[in-house]
């Protein structure tokens, strides 16, 4: 008898439908799986057999052929276990075929018959809903995540025995509500008020958050660069529901999620020894890299100068387009990668403070060139982080500055202004405006225009720097709630720009 | 030529004597060969002398675009003759006629210092070069990295006449990073060396070059030098000649300013601006650079430009002290956003400059 069950398999951070067909025939007992299974899928045969037998069910001693369709796509991972087991049950007549109509099945089996969670359940549930399935049967630990796909009935099943009872209509699982964690709930993350002083860096952080600009912090070791960067997610607008789903989906695929809806934006700080593949994703079965894990959050690159050049070069596409395309043999996978870049580096190669520095002009110039080369195009703001005065460190009064909440309120207000202005264009914030959009939306006064022309003619401002300064000035005006970009806004923006090495003094 | 041939021997000979080769270079050919006798190459030197063809050598020198000036020529810089061991020949490249006249006309000032200078040192060297050039003073330096190169750049910026004394032949670019500057000086100034065209520099030829710099100049100013720096060799020669020695003060704790600060302790003139050098040369207040400090003060006095108000002055002072925007905000009472804006305007008017990583440096004009 023939049975077919729908399940879902991950591809990148998306899931695609896979139909598991099982044919049970008379013949020498055998269990073959076809449809480009890899070793981990072929092992499912042993798990399915033991799980069925250990759950008091029959494993037909006949010739069993399973096909995973579409047969042209390579299959990997243990997520086909449950679908194979259900298909065997249906094909063997142990479960009525109509009980699984309109139902997708996804899960891994243990030898005891218990259902184990799989990665990327949210992606699979969203895909099941999109494919028109009404119900999805998932392992109990995955239920909360699957229920995030609203409008889909999620049946949380602990083990095979319960599953058979369910399919015979003799048992109903407890209905699953979406995992708690309303988006926008207050964040327990580190607060900006814990950072003493550093008002300049805080201002730069706020502007970067408000306009989606990439930021470079320059300062000697121990000045507080990492501390500041960690507070960036707390001042970015809280993720809305769709963004939260996006974040949760990516993290679930990478096996990092806790099954609940993400409440905060991710913060990723890969070590500088990371490979290009680790940073942007890759591998024979493409896995998301750090820039994808930081999707809708913050990617922090500490010691920017220590990252390998190929790794930094690989970052260009994701920072430019908000996604990573990985081509592997016959197929290509696309990962989302819309992250705010916060980078940090030492002011000179030796990393010492000014008094102890023994670097020459040439070494400094070379260091600055190496840093700015690959990523120069994408850095909108650069600020210096000086070590705080000793007094500030010793004083015990806590919370000297503003807390993250008040900064976030200003950032949200500025983002709303941008959303209205940029409605209908591809950009969602000032940092994403292309040159033409920036030209349309940023108007400066006559005096400021003369000022820009003078800087351009004197070579103090490059053509590319000009567009960046306009975008930045727009964000500064938005933060201040000003319709027009004033001369002071433009001046401040000019003060944050990164001077290309050929225009800078060493 | 002979020096080039024998250089390895000379270096050997000098290895023990703290690298001061001047004694050897003062000898004429006969004496030189005699001094180096016993090193096994005497016959080689004699063969070289036997083969030496004046015409052929002259053609080769001309072909390289080089002008040779003999110690006995009237065009030879007279100040150089006061050295205990003046070079026998100066090989020059660039505008030799004008260069030698410039050197004979009035005072020349050497600006020397560390190859690994701080942004402060770079800026000071450039500014002194520019200021002295504007005051129609010939600026001499060694076309090394760091302070030397910046002094030449400043001189060129001030429309002055740069003179570079090289450690190798006048047509030999060293270090490679200064190739562009080498070309510009050949076009607008003068390259000088006692080594023949094509000759790569030797280790010993740099201290030897320093004695020529000291000899050519009325005053030698050290911008930034660590202890044991080659710049201190230059000032030693200058002191021996009774010439003026000045130094730019650096922070007391900086290793890289120990040498220059040491000069100040032992009585060198304090140099913080062009006027200090002019005061030393001509007497206090006698000569003033035609443009420069007054001009920029005038410009900033107009229409309340940043830097004139007390807040602007506080911002500038904080940046000068090596502080960041936070320190400037603290000192001036302005919010950080306003400090950024102020600094951007100051950059526009040339009062501060940026480095490649966003830092601000005070410009000294």
């Amino acid at each position: 008898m023939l049975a077919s069950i729908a399940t879902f398999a991950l591809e990148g951070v998306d899931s695609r439908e896979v139909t598991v067909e099982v044919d049970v025939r008379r013949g020498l007992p055998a269990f073959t799986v076809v449809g480009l299974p890899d070793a981990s899928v072929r092992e499912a045969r042993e798990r399915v057999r033991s799980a069925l037998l250990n759950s008091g069910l029959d494993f037909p001693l006949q010739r069993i052929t399973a096909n995973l369709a579409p047969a042209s796509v390579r299959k990997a991972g243990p997520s086909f276990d449950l679908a194979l087991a259900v298909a065997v049950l249906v094909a063997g007549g142990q479960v009525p075929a109509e009980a699984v109509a309109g139902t997708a099945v996804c899960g891994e089996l243990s030898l005891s018959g218990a259902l184990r969670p799989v990665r990327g359940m949210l992606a699979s549930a969203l895909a099941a809903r999109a494919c028109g399935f009404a119900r999805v049967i998932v392992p109990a630990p995955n239920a909360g995540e699957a229920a995030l796909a609203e409008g889909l009935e999620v049946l949380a099943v602990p083990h095979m025995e319960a599953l058979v009872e369910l399919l015979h209509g003799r048992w109903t699982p407890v209905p699953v509500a979406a995992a708690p964690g309303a988006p926008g709930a207050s964040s327990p993350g580190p607060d900006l008020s814990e950072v003493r002083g550093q008002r300049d860096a805080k201002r730069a952080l706020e502007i970067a958050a408000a306009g989606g600009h990439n930021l470079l912090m320059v300062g000697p070791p121990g000045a507080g660069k990492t501390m500041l960067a960690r507070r960036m997610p707390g001042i970015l607008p809280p993720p809305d529901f769709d963004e939260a789903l996006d974040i949760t989906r990516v993290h679930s695929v990478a096996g990092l999620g806790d099954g609940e809806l993400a409440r905060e934006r991710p913060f990723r700080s890969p070590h500088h020894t990371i490979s290009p593949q680790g940073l942007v994703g890759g591998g024979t079965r493409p896995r998301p890299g750090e820039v994808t894990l930081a999707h809708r959050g913050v990617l922090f690159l500490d010691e920017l100068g220590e990252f390998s050049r190929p790794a930094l070069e690989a970052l260009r596409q994701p920072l430019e387009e908000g996604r990573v395309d990985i081509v592997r043999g016959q197929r290509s996978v696309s990962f989302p990668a819309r992250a705010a870049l916060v980078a940090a580096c030492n002011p000179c190669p030796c990393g010492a403070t000014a008094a102890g520095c023994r670097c020459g002009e040439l070494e400094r110039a070379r260091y600055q060139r190496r840093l700015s080369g690959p990523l120069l195009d994408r850095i909108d703001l650069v600020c210096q982080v000086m070590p705080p005065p000793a007094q500030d460190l010793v004083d015990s009064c806590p919370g000297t500055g503003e807390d993250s909440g008040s900064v976030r309120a200003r950032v949200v207000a500025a983002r709303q202004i941008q959303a209205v202005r940029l409605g209908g264009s591809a950009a969602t914030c000032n940092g994403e405006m292309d040159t033409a959009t920036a030209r349309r939306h940023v108007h400066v006064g006559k005096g400021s225009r003369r000022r820009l022309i003078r800087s351009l003619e004197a070579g103090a401002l490059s053509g590319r720097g000009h567009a960046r300064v306009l975008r930045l000035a727009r964000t500064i005006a938005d933060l201040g709630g000003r319709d027009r970009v004033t001369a002071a806004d433009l001046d401040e923006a000019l003060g944050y720009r990164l001077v290309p090495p050929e225009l800078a003094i060493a | 030529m002979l020096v080039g041939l024998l250089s390895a021997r000379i270096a050997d000979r000098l290895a023990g004597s703290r690298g001061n080769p001047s004694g050897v270079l003062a000898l004429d050919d006969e004496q030189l060969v005699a001094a180096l006798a016993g090193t096994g190459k005497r016959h080689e030197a004699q063969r070289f002398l036997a083969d030496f063809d004046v015409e052929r050598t002259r053609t080769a020198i001309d072909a390289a675009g080089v002008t040779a000036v003999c110690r006995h020529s009237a065009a030879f810089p007279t100040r150089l003759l006061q050295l205990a061991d003046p070079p026998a020949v100066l090989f020059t490249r660039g505008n030799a006629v004008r260069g030698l006249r410039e050197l004979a006309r009035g005072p020349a000032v050497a600006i020397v210092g560390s190859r690994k200078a701080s942004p402060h040192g770079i800026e000071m060297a450039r500014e002194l070069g520019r200021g002295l050039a504007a005051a129609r003073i010939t600026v001499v330096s060694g076309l090394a990295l760091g302070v030397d190169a910046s002094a030449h750049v400043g001189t060129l910026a001030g429309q002055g006449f740069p003179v570079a004394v090289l450690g190798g032949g006048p047509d030999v670019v060293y270090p490679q990073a200064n190739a562009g500057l080498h070309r510009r000086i050949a076009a607008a100034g003068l390259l000088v060396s006692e080594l023949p065209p094509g000759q790569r520099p030797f280790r010993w030829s740099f201290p030897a070059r320093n004695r020529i710099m000291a000899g050519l100049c009325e005053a030698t100013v050290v911008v930034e030098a660590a202890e044991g720096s080659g710049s201190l060799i230059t000032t030693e020669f200058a002191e021996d000649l009774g010439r003026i020695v000045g130094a730019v003060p650096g922070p007391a704790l900086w290793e890289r300013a120990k040498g220059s600060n040491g000069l100040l302790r032992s009585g060198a003139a304090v140099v913080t601006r062009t006027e200090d050098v002019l005061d030393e040369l001509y007497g206090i207040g006698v000569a003033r650079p035609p443009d420069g400090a007054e001009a920029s003060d005038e410009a900033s006095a107009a229409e309340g430009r940043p830097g004139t108000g007390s807040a602007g002055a506080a911002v500038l002072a904080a940046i000068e002290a090596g502080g960041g925007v936070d320190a400037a905000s603290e000192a001036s009472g302005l919010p950080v956003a306003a400090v950024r804006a102020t600094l951007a305007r100051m950059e526009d008017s040339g009062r501060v400059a940026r480095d490649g990583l966003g830092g601000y440096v005070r410009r000294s004009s």
Side-chain angles (χ1 to χ4, degrees):
Chain A
M1 191 180 164
L2 181 70
S4 98
I5 298 289
T7 186
F8 285 84
L10 284 177
E11 195 171 80
V13 292
D14 295 314
S15 222
R16 64 181 295 160
E17 185 178 353
V18 172
T19 305
V20 178
E21 297 170 322
V22 168
D23 188 27
V24 178
R25 295 262 147 207
R26 246 196 307 216
L28 280 176
F31 190 178
T32 42
V33 180
V34 297
L36 289 188
D38 78 351
S40 63
V41 178
R42 270 195 294 270
E43 284 174 355
R45 293 177 302 180
E46 312 305 321
R47 283 193 295 270
V48 167
R49 188 200 335 261
S50 290
L52 290 183
L53 293 174
N54 283 329
S55 307
L57 297 160
D58 279 341
F59 186 80
L61 281 177
Q62 300 176 63
R63 181 174 181 80
I64 305 173
T65 309
N67 178 36
L68 308 177
S72 59
V73 180
R74 206 160 277 285
K75 320 289 187 311
S79 68
F80 301 99
D81 292 4
L82 190 58
L84 277 168
V86 173
V88 167
L89 289 179
V90 173
Q94 299 185 74
V95 162
E98 52 276 16
V100 291
T103 305
V105 166
C106 214
E108 178 185 337
L109 282 176
S110 89
L111 296 186
S112 68
L115 270 59
R116 313 178 74 123
V118 292
R119 284 190 302 163
M121 181 53 81
L122 178 55
S124 296
L126 290 170
R129 188 180 64 181
C131 290
F133 288 92
R135 303 193 296 167
V136 60
I137 295 174
V138 303
N142 277 139
E145 195 182 316
L148 292 172
E150 287 170 327
L152 190 68
E153 189 187 353
V154 175
L155 301 168
V157 175
H159 50 78
M160 282 305 294
E161 287 167 56
L163 178 64
V164 172
E165 294 299 292
L166 169 73
L167 294 179
H168 278 114
R170 294 193 292 257
W171 175 73
T172 317
V174 188
V176 191
S186 69
S187 66
D191 198 278
L192 209 55
S193 62
E194 294 156 9
V195 182
R196 292 166 198 280
Q198 308 294 10
R199 286 181 298 152
D200 179 43
K202 286 179 184 172
R203 169 81 178 160
L205 216 54
E206 180 177 336
I207 296 172
H213 302 288
N214 296 324
L215 169 69
L216 171 65
M217 293 188 285
V218 183
K225 302 183 294 279
T226 308
M227 202 177 173
L228 283 158
R230 283 201 182 283
R231 282 147 181 85
M232 178 83 163
I235 63 168
L236 281 167
D240 62 25
F241 185 73
D242 286 340
E243 286 179 321
L245 270 189
D246 244 12
I247 297 167
T248 313
R249 185 166 70 148
V250 167
H251 284 232
S252 161
V253 167
L256 295 174
D258 52 4
E260 292 187 358
L261 188 63
R263 273 174 261 189
E264 277 304 327
R265 294 173 184 275
F267 177 86
R268 304 293 301 181
S269 57
H271 191 252
H272 56 71
T273 51
I274 194 169
S275 66
Q277 290 76 24
L279 201 53
V280 300
T284 43
R285 287 182 55 205
R287 283 177 53 81
E290 288 292 333
V291 66
T292 297
L293 297 179
H295 179 54
R296 304 249 178 238
V298 175
L299 178 67
F300 178 51
L301 301 183
D302 201 359
E303 306 290 356
L304 187 64
E306 303 294 322
F307 281 82
S308 75
R309 200 163 171 111
L312 293 182
E313 292 286 352
L315 265 183
R316 266 171 194 266
Q317 190 216 0
L319 289 177
E320 205 68 52
E321 296 169 19
R323 61 164 216 281
V324 187
D325 296 321
I326 295 168
V327 181
R328 282 283 172 281
Q330 314 111 333
R331 64 200 180 128
S332 79
V333 176
S334 181
F335 289 119
R338 202 169 281 287
L341 175 70
V342 178
C345 67
N346 293 327
C348 68
C350 71
T353 49
C357 171
R358 293 196 55 93
C359 306
E361 173 200 20
L362 212 62
E363 289 160 43
R364 268 198 311 273
R366 193 179 301 134
Y367 178 74
Q368 293 174 3
R369 257 201 313 277
R370 184 169 49 130
L371 274 179
S372 51
L375 281 179
L376 182 73
D377 327 3
R378 297 304 303 162
I379 300 284
D380 292 335
L381 291 107
V382 56
C383 73
Q384 285 194 304
V385 182
M386 300 280 191
Q391 174 109 40
D392 284 12
L393 292 174
V394 176
D395 281 355
S396 59
C397 64
T400 45
E402 268 185 309
D403 58 15
S404 295
S406 358
V407 179
R408 177 181 258 181
R410 285 199 299 272
V411 169
V412 169
R415 286 262 181 154
Q416 275 162 356
I417 298 173
Q418 296 167 37
V420 171
R421 181 189 313 123
L422 296 169
S425 74
T428 59
C429 56
N430 291 340
E432 291 171 12
M433 289 195 289
D434 55 27
T435 315
T437 320
R439 212 175 283 268
R440 194 160 61 245
H441 290 300
V442 188
H443 302 288
V444 296
K446 207 179 273 173
S448 300
R449 200 154 43 223
R450 269 204 302 276
R451 167 80 196 281
L452 285 171
I453 292 170
R454 196 164 64 237
S455 297
L456 280 164
E457 279 175 353
L461 190 62
S462 65
R464 201 186 277 142
H466 171 243
R468 254 197 309 266
V469 161
L470 286 184
R471 288 199 297 246
L472 203 55
R474 186 62 261 176
T475 301
I476 292 171
D478 287 341
L479 264 177
R482 290 179 287 277
D483 283 345
R484 291 191 65 88
V485 175
T486 65
D489 295 333
L490 185 74
D491 281 336
E492 192 184 348
L494 280 165
Y496 286 116
R497 81 186 195 282
L498 184 62
V499 181
E502 63 273 18
L503 301 180
I505 73 158
Chain B
M1 312 281 142
L2 190 58
V3 171
L5 183 76
L6 291 174
S7 56
R9 247 43 98 244
I10 299 175
D12 280 351
R13 188 77 171 187
L14 293 172
S17 63
R18 216 196 155 284
N20 187 337
S22 43
V24 177
L25 290 172
L27 304 175
D28 65 24
D29 293 349
E30 296 286 321
Q31 292 168 309
L32 186 61
V33 174
L36 297 170
T39 53
K41 290 288 179 183
R42 179 171 193 161
H43 59 284
E44 199 177 307
Q46 277 164 344
R47 192 176 332 127
F48 174 86
L49 281 177
D51 288 351
F52 188 77
D53 175 0
V54 178
E55 270 315 308
R56 202 178 57 220
T57 312
R58 186 162 292 153
T59 324
I61 290 175
D62 287 346
V66 168
T67 309
V69 186
C70 166
R71 172 158 48 173
H72 306 296
S73 156
F76 194 81
T78 43
R79 275 195 292 266
L80 215 45
L81 291 172
Q82 294 172 18
L83 278 170
D85 46 359
V89 180
L90 277 187
F91 296 95
T92 69
R93 205 158 160 257
N95 192 339
V97 177
R98 176 168 173 211
L100 294 168
R101 206 172 50 227
E102 292 280 343
L103 285 169
R105 178 182 58 81
V109 173
I111 300 176
V112 296
S114 171
R115 291 190 302 273
K116 295 178 155 199
S118 68
H120 167 255
I122 299 293
E123 187 62 31
M124 276 308 294
R126 192 178 315 178
E127 206 41 50
L128 287 173
R130 199 189 60 74
L132 289 170
R136 305 263 297 121
I137 288 179
T138 308
V139 179
V140 177
S141 194
L143 195 55
L145 297 174
V147 167
D148 284 16
S150 302
H152 289 309
V153 168
T155 310
L156 286 164
Q159 316 284 317
F161 189 85
V163 174
V165 187
L166 307 183
D171 55 342
V172 176
V173 175
Y174 182 90
Q176 204 51 52
N178 281 344
L181 197 51
H182 190 107
R183 221 170 19 247
R184 286 171 65 198
I185 295 175
L190 190 67
L191 296 153
V192 178
S193 173
E194 64 179 314
L195 292 184
Q199 183 59 58
R200 305 283 310 160
F202 306 101
R203 265 185 77 88
W204 58 261
S205 61
F206 292 102
R209 173 273 309 266
N210 290 352
R211 94 185 189 287
I212 301 181
M213 281 199 284
L216 280 175
C217 295
E218 223 85 287
T220 299
V221 177
V222 180
V223 171
E224 203 172 80
E227 234 153 341
S229 153
S231 309
L232 302 182
I233 299 180
T234 315
T235 58
E236 250 174 67
F237 281 116
E239 274 168 27
D240 289 350
L241 290 168
R243 307 276 171 83
I244 298 163
V245 172
V248 175
L253 292 177
W254 277 24
E255 282 296 330
R256 65 208 303 171
K258 277 256 163 75
S260 38
N261 285 346
L263 286 174
L264 293 174
R265 189 164 47 238
S266 52
V270 178
V271 175
T272 59
R273 47 194 187 142
T274 307
E275 288 90 321
D276 294 334
V277 183
L278 298 179
D279 285 350
E280 287 296 322
L281 288 173
Y282 298 110
I284 293 172
V286 174
R288 280 283 162 265
D291 61 332
E294 295 94 334
S296 66
D297 279 352
E298 203 175 292
S300 60
E303 23 131 358
R305 289 182 81 91
T308 49
S310 62
V315 167
L316 264 185
I319 294 299
E320 197 170 3
V325 172
D326 272 0
S329 157
E330 198 79 28
S332 63
L334 293 173
V336 283
V339 171
R340 278 277 172 197
T342 306
L343 283 169
R345 282 194 296 274
M346 288 178 176
E347 191 188 348
D348 191 34
S349 59
R351 298 174 73 82
V352 296
R354 305 286 296 271
D355 67 21
L357 288 173
Y360 280 100
V361 187
R362 169 93 145 92
R363 298 198 87 121
S364 50
S365 64

